[in-house]
Structure formats: structure tokens, C-alpha cells
Amino acid sequence: METQTDILIAGAGAAGLTAGIALAGAGFRVALRGDLETRRNGRTVALFEASLRLYRALGVWRRLAPLACPIETIRIVDDTGSRLPTPPLELQAEEIGLDAFGANIENASLVMALAAIARETPGLDLRETRLDDYEFASSDARAATVDGEKISAKLIVGADGRNSRLRAAAGIKTREWNYPQVAITALLRHSRTHWRASSEFHTRQGPCTLVPLPAEGANRHRSSLVWLMNPGEAKRRMALADGELAREIETQTRRLHGAIALEGPRAAFPISGLACQSMTAKRAALVADAAHFFPPIGAQGLNLGLRDVAQLVECLETRGADDPGADKPLRAYDRARKLDVSVRALGVDLLNRSLLWDLPPVDFARGVGILAMAGIGPLRRALLREGVTPPGRLPALMRPLADAR
Ligand SMILES: Cc1cc2nc3c(=O)[nH]c(=O)nc-3n(C[C@H](O)[C@H](O)[C@H](O)COP(=O)(O)OP(=O)(O)OC[C@H]3O[C@@H](n4cnc5c(N)ncnc54)[C@H](O)[C@@H]3O)c2cc1C
């Protein structure tokens, strides 16, 4: 079977599906090929305001909102035993004029809902298969699926995750590094309400975070867990019975949510980082984890990836209408994404290492930072805004609806 299209997207995770819906909405013919990762593994994503604006602008948020829980408060508790102890910090969305910082949704639910929307989107052809062999020529790019379909496209978008095959085939160089940490994820139900608050307990091994989830059936109080710890502790905790792990979560989170029980399977993710020399190559562009990867701290990963998607759509719409794989729109995309991606990766890296480094000057600097956030309103509001709606020029699909497009 042979397929000709404007844009081929490799990878049907949240980023690839969103890119497919947005690019088809912008008038391109899009083929999207990838497996749907719909296993429930305790992994959720907190999406901030700019990401929600993207989904609103695409007209899909009303389908996702019932699956998500708004995050109205962010609570940070320093549990490092720091030499400069700080009181718990509570940040409210209303301080920056928002009802909520964003919303938390199970990754599997997000992928399933986006896949259903993708199947109804005119101009978007989604098939569950994997892409193999890539070839890049000056006038087009070609790929083959493992089941024998041959596809030619003006542009191939790599949304195929951290081990991106497209990235390697396009010859994009990477820098990779590891952290002495593993994240355990799980869905939890608990006896007390979460008050729509995300609660982060910063420990010497990394943050332990409870993020609110919506009620499901009779389970009214639910949250997701992202707990970073050293690999030895992760191995021990992964081997615990559900009840034993639940008790350890209760202890670490100071029984804030009352009695906890695990809901379904847990998963463990070794923590690493990846940066690319460029987000584009001849007739190829990368988005989301295929382009950058860092620890799940401050919920930045997919939010950053969706900014890639929104920016790519804008560059292709404005400069690539005739040929979306031409140099001009791809260069514009690479340029537009460099600063945001490197600033986020650096910020997350520093925050993570500031917890791991047990050194007096680092403790002091972190403590002063938290105290300044608590005491200086304008600074706190500026940092909060920066986290949920990054400064600088946001792509049109992420601007408030009134001035978008
Ligand atoms: C524990 C944890 C917690 C996190 N929490 C948050 C959070 O709260 N907020 C946030 O913004 N981010 C969070 N992140 C990051 C976020 O989950 C990722 O950034 C996001 O899922 C990346 O989406 P993606 O579509 O790029 O990649 P993936 O979800 O990895 O999807 C890639 C897809 O490509 C497919 N694929 C691979 N190879 C091929 C091929 N050859 N052909 C076709 N398809 C292929 C894969 O099967 C997969 O479906 C978290 C990450 C972790 C690990």
C-alpha cells in the first residue's frame, strides 16, 4: 500500500495525537502512525493553562475536561531536613487571576480521548502501527510501516518519544545524562479530600508529589503519585505489597490525605535527561519527548511538548503552506523553540540537583528562594505566571482566545 500526504507524524502519544489534530485543523493532509499507549500505569500529566488554551482553541477541551481535575492550589513542603528550614508554601491560582493553574489527567485517558477525536478529524488518517525505515530527500521524505505501507510526505514530524527512531534516522545529535533517581507512579484513593491541591514534599532523594484526580464512581477522593527516590529505595518499594507501600506514602505525605489505598498498578521510571542539538533536520521536525526529556518535576514535560506542537503549527501555517517540509518554516520553528526548551531543562535540572546536593550553600540558596516566594507577592506572582503561561511570545493557539489568531 502506498500513501502520499503533506505531513506524516511518527508516534501516537499525547504529543503526536495533538499535533495530528492541530495540523489537520490547519488544513494539512496528515497521516499519523503509532501504537496507542492506553495501559493504565499510574502515570498522569498536569497540564497548565497554556496547554488548556491549546485544547480549547482546538475545540477538544470539552471532551477532556470531564476526565481531568483542576489544580487550584500548589503546596510545597520542605522535607529535606535543610539547614535553613522553611515553612510550607501554599500558592493559589487566584493570585494570578486564574480559577486553576491547570488540570491533572491520566495519561492513558488523555491518549484514548485524543485518539477518538483524531479518528473523527477530517484530513487526519490515524493508523495503529509502527514506522520503520526513513529516507530524506530534497523534495520529500519517505517512511515504511512495519506492516508494509509506504508513505511519502513533505515533512515527517517525530513525536515518537524519548528513544525516537526518527531523530536517529534524521541524524540529529543528542546529549543524554542520568540522575540517581527512579520515579514511582501510582493512582491512589484516600479518605480525605485533596481540596484540588497538588502537594509536593521535597526530600533529599527528590520530590514526592500527590496530584489531584477527579472522582471515579464511588471513589470520591483520588490522586496520582509521582515519587522520586534513589534506585535502591525504588526497588525496595516496588517489591512492597500495596498496603505496605500505601503506609509509606501516608508517612511521607504526613497523612495529609488520610488513609491511602492503591488503585491499580504502579510503575517505575528511571530518571534521565536528553537534549538535541537541533529540533529539525532535512524534512524532519521533532516535538515533545523526542526533542527533550528531563525529570518529572514541576510538571513541565508535556506542557513544553505542547508548546512545540503549537509553535510548529504556527510556523507551518504562516511559512510552510505550500511546502511544510521546506527549510524556511523548519528553521523558524527551531529558532522559536530554542530558548524555552533550554530554560526549562536548566530550571528543572537545577531544582532537582538542589534537592540532591546536601551542601550548606545550596540549602541556603533554596531556603532563601522559598522564603522569598512566601514573602514577596510580586515575585511569587511573576514566578507562578512564568510556570503556567510562560513569558515571551506564545504561539497563537496558546494565547487567550480573545487575541489568538
Ligand atoms: C512519572 C512522570 C510524570 C510526568 N508528569 C508530567 C506532568 O505532570 N506534566 C507534564 O507536562 N509532563 C509530565 N511528564 C512528562 C510527559 O509524560 C511526557 O512529556 C509526555 O508523555 C510525552 O509525550 P510524547 O507523546 O512526546 O511521548 P510518549 O508518550 O512517549 O509517546 C511516544 C509514542 O511514540 C510511539 N512510538 C515510538 N516509536 C515509534 C515508531 N517507530 N513508530 C511509531 N510510533 C512510535 C510510542 O509507542 C508512543 O506511543 C511526566 C513524565 C513521567 C515519566
Side-chain angles (χ1 to χ4, degrees), residues 248-273:
E248 294 205 7
I249 300 166
E250 285 171 9
T251 306
Q252 177 58 66
T253 57
R254 305 183 180 187
R255 288 188 60 86
L256 190 69
H257 290 5
I260 285 176
L262 267 73
E263 198 185 82
R266 58 189 102 153
F269 297 86
I271 302 302
S272 59

Side-chain angles (χ1 to χ4, degrees), residues 41-47 104-108 185-187 211-213 223-226 269 296 299:
N41 58 5
R43 186 167 145 194
T44 64
V45 278
L47 295 174
N104 189 39
I105 183 167
E106 229 185 302
N107 199 56
T185 59
L187 303 186
V211 199
L213 280 172
S223 292
S224 56
L225 169 80
V226 186
F269 297 86

Side-chain angles (χ1 to χ4, degrees), residues 61-225:
W61 180 242
R62 67 200 149 75
R63 303 265 294 265
L64 304 178
L67 309 169
C69 180
I71 302 170
E72 296 169 358
T73 304
I74 295 176
R75 182 182 293 123
I76 298 172
V77 179
D78 186 358
D79 244 345
T80 57
S82 166
R83 293 150 185 98
L84 182 59
T86 51
L89 182 63
E90 272 207 8
L91 310 163
Q92 309 290 346
E94 62 188 20
E95 290 185 66
I96 51 169
L98 294 174
D99 293 334
F101 290 112
N104 189 39
I105 183 167
E106 229 185 302
N107 199 56
S109 309
L110 177 64
V111 167
M112 278 191 277
L114 288 172
I117 294 163
R119 289 200 179 90
E120 298 160 12
T121 302
L124 174 55
D125 167 31
L126 165 64
R127 288 192 208 154
E128 287 186 52
T129 180
R130 292 180 83 73
L131 285 159
D132 214 341
D133 283 346
Y134 294 101
E135 251 180 71
F136 302 93
S138 49
S139 59
D140 68 356
R142 276 162 242 144
T145 61
V146 287
D147 43 11
E149 181 190 8
K150 296 198 182 328
I151 308 169
S152 80
K154 292 286 175 199
L155 171 69
I156 307 185
V157 175
D160 47 350
R162 59 188 294 188
N163 298 315
S164 171
R165 206 182 167 107
L166 178 83
R167 185 180 66 218
I172 296 176
K173 291 203 172 61
T174 58
R175 188 170 61 83
E176 292 176 51
W177 61 97
N178 292 309
Y179 297 88
Q181 288 166 302
V182 170
I184 294 186
T185 59
L187 303 186
L188 311 173
R189 51 174 186 270
H190 35 86
S191 58
R192 288 196 201 128
T193 174
H194 45 52
W195 298 110
R196 296 181 167 182
S198 171
S199 301
E200 297 181 17
F201 297 82
H202 288 187
T203 82
R204 280 286 177 216
Q205 296 182 23
C208 172
T209 307
L210 297 177
V211 199
L213 280 172
E216 193 175 71
N219 297 327
R220 286 170 53 218
H221 308 310
R222 303 173 65 239
S223 292
S224 56
L225 169 80

Side-chain angles (χ1 to χ4, degrees), residues 339-362:
L339 184 67
D340 189 19
V341 169
S342 47
V343 165
R344 290 299 131 176
L346 181 68
V348 169
D349 182 69
L350 282 178
L351 180 58
N352 193 25
R353 289 187 199 278
S354 80
L355 296 173
L356 301 179
W357 285 334
D358 187 0
L359 297 170
V362 179

